C-alpha cells in the first residue's frame, strides 16, 4: 500500500482554527491507484498550514510483518507515474530525502 500526500501551500485559507491548506491524499496498491466508490482516486483534506506530517504504522496483530519505505533508498518505484506524483513539483520521502527534483525518474542525490 502506498500513500502520497501533496500539500498545496497555494491553497492557504484562514479559519477559526488558524491558517489551513489543502492536502491531496492518493493511495495505491502494488503501484496501481486505488479508486473510491465515487470513482475518484484522490481525497482532499484541510490541514493546519504549519502542521508537520509524520509516518506511522499501526499493527493490530503481533504476527503481522510489515516493510515501511520511508526513505529514498527503500523506494521500489522509480517513476512519478508509478507513485502518482504531479509533474513540476519536488517530491520528498518521509525522511526528507529527495525522490524527484524534476520530471525525470528518481533523483540521483
Amino acid at each position: 500500500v502506498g500513500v502520497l500526500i501533496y500539500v498545496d501551500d497555494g491553497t492557504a485559507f484562514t479559519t477559526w482554527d488558524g491558517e489551513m491548506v489543502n492536502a491531496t491524499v492518493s493511495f495505491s496498491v502494488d503501484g496501481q491507484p486505488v479508486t473510491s466508490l465515487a470513482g475518484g482516486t484522490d481525497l482532499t483534506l484541510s490541514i493546519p498550514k504549519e502542521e508537520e506530517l509524520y509516518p506511522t504504522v499501526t499493527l493490530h496483530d503481533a504476527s503481522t510483518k510489515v516493510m515501511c519505505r520511508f526513505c529514498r533508498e527503500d523506494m521500489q518505484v522509480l517513476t512519478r507515474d508509478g507513485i502518482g506524483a504531479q509533474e513540476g513539483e519536488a517530491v520528498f520521502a518521509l525522511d526528507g530525502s529527495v525522490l524527484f527534483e524534476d520530471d525525470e525518474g528518481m533523483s540521483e542525490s
Side-chain angles (χ1 to χ4, degrees):
V1 175
V3 179
L4 177 68
I5 302 173
Y6 173 67
V7 178
D8 188 354
D9 289 329
T11 63
F13 58 96
T14 303
T15 69
W16 291 104
D17 293 325
E19 196 167 16
M20 308 287 274
V21 293
N22 288 335
T24 304
V25 182
S26 303
F27 297 93
S28 62
V29 175
D30 293 331
Q32 299 300 311
V34 175
T35 57
S36 70
L37 294 176
T41 57
D42 297 336
L43 170 67
T44 301
L45 306 171
S46 295
I47 62 171
K49 184 175 182 177
E50 300 302 320
E51 189 73 28
E52 293 190 34
L53 302 177
Y54 295 97
T56 60
V57 176
T58 302
L59 302 177
H60 295 283
D61 185 325
S63 64
T64 301
K65 295 180 182 178
V66 65
M67 170 62 175
C68 298
R69 302 190 187 286
F70 292 142
C71 68
R72 184 188 180 287
E73 289 75 20
D74 290 342
M75 300 299 290
Q76 292 183 327
V77 177
L78 304 177
T79 65
R80 286 178 178 271
D81 287 340
I83 63 170
Q86 296 182 8
E87 293 184 18
E89 299 287 340
V91 178
F92 300 89
L94 293 173
D95 71 340
S97 57
V98 177
L99 298 180
F100 304 106
E101 292 181 6
D102 54 26
D103 294 335
E104 297 177 353
M106 185 78 73
S107 169
E108 295 301 321
S109 57

